[in-house]
Amino acid sequence: VQIRKKGLRDAGATLAPEAAHHLAIGSETLALRMQRTCSNAQQLAEFLAAHPKVKRVYYPGLSTHPQYERARSLFCGNSGILSFELQDGIDCFDVLGKLEIVISSTNLGDNRTLAIPVAPTIYFEGGAERRASLGIGESLIRSSTGIEDPQDLLADFAKALGDCLRGPSPQTSPSNSQTATARRDSAHPAVEHIHRTQHISCKVSHCCNNEEI
């Protein structure tokens, strides 16, 4: 029994035939999908970098990125993952809520473009002060670019950014800022989803460490 438990915990379960079939089918078109993903991400990064409501864009395919030359020498594409920070006073949830093609989700590598607010989800537990020390802005959005028509994708971001309003930038202490952020974001579906996922992961990890499964 212990051998089964530890094997399942450390190596994972045996893949079901149908799941293995889907993986095999998907791998046949992976190269084509990655080409489209990288191309879309490059176009999106260039569009966002030139937009007046975007403060900065983090993507190795941009010449402004500190690792641009290294990425160009090592990779044939620059991946589909990018992040961008909005100008002061623009609420990232306002932008995400106005996107129609892009989906608010924590996943990566989907055929559809996914976006998530970074501060109130992935780095929420670290607190505002810790995020600031890591250079993670409160308006930072991470995007996993899909294979949609690039013009449709750019038009979706253009509309969302064009419709969002820039409000005043409140001057608050890190502790007050963290409290306000938590209160504002607690009801957002993406935040609820990732917090619930993190809670389940912690419980599973605790059970595994105590050999209960």
Side-chain angles (χ1 to χ4, degrees):
V1 175
Q2 288 300 320
I3 292 176
R4 276 213 315 254
K5 285 182 179 179
K6 291 183 178 180
L8 181 62
R9 180 191 67 191
D10 298 339
T14 302
L15 199 62
E18 184 178 0
H21 171 70
H22 286 307
L23 285 174
I25 294 297
S27 64
E28 294 177 1
T29 59
L30 178 60
L32 294 174
R33 287 184 281 117
M34 281 306 302
Q35 288 177 8
R36 179 60 170 262
T37 292
C38 293
S39 174
N40 280 0
Q42 183 70 40
Q43 294 180 65
L44 178 59
E46 292 173 357
F47 166 79
L48 292 171
H51 200 284
K53 291 186 179 179
V54 175
K55 183 185 292 185
R56 60 179 61 90
V57 180
Y58 303 95
Y59 186 68
L62 296 178
S63 59
T64 54
H65 193 278
Q67 302 297 327
Y68 169 72
E69 291 296 340
R70 176 174 293 181
R72 192 169 69 163
S73 65
L74 293 176
F75 309 128
C76 59
N78 292 296
S79 90
I81 308 297
L82 64 90
S83 60
F84 61 97
E85 194 172 343
L86 300 169
Q87 294 287 359
D88 296 339
I90 299 179
D91 189 351
C92 61
F93 286 102
D94 189 21
V95 175
L96 290 171
K98 288 178 168 59
L99 291 168
E100 297 180 359
I101 295 176
V102 180
I103 301 170
S104 293
S105 174
T106 61
N107 200 7
L108 294 171
D110 201 289
N111 285 332
R112 300 161 297 181
T113 297
L114 314 174
I116 185 175
V118 175
T121 54
I122 306 170
Y123 289 94
F124 174 76
E125 294 182 356
E129 190 172 348
R130 175 62 174 161
R131 289 194 294 270
S133 69
L134 295 172
I136 298 170
E138 295 300 304
S139 66
L140 187 68
I141 295 174
R142 186 195 72 189
S143 173
S144 173
T145 315
I147 59 174
E148 301 94 341
D149 184 281
Q151 296 307 313
D152 290 344
L153 188 60
L154 297 183
D156 197 27
F157 274 97
K159 184 178 185 303
L161 288 168
D163 290 346
C164 71
L165 300 175
R166 181 182 298 183
S169 301
Q171 299 298 321
T172 58
S173 64
S175 59
N176 290 338
S177 175
Q178 182 178 359
T179 303
T181 300
R183 185 167 56 247
R184 181 201 66 187
D185 301 340
S186 59
H188 194 274
V191 177
E192 278 188 17
H193 172 74
I194 196 167
H195 286 174
R196 188 163 57 248
T197 304
Q198 288 173 340
H199 177 67
I200 294 171
S201 299
C202 288
K203 289 182 67 176
V204 172
S205 176
H206 176 73
C207 292
C208 289
N209 290 336
N210 288 279
E211 299 184 345
E212 294 177 5
I213 60 173

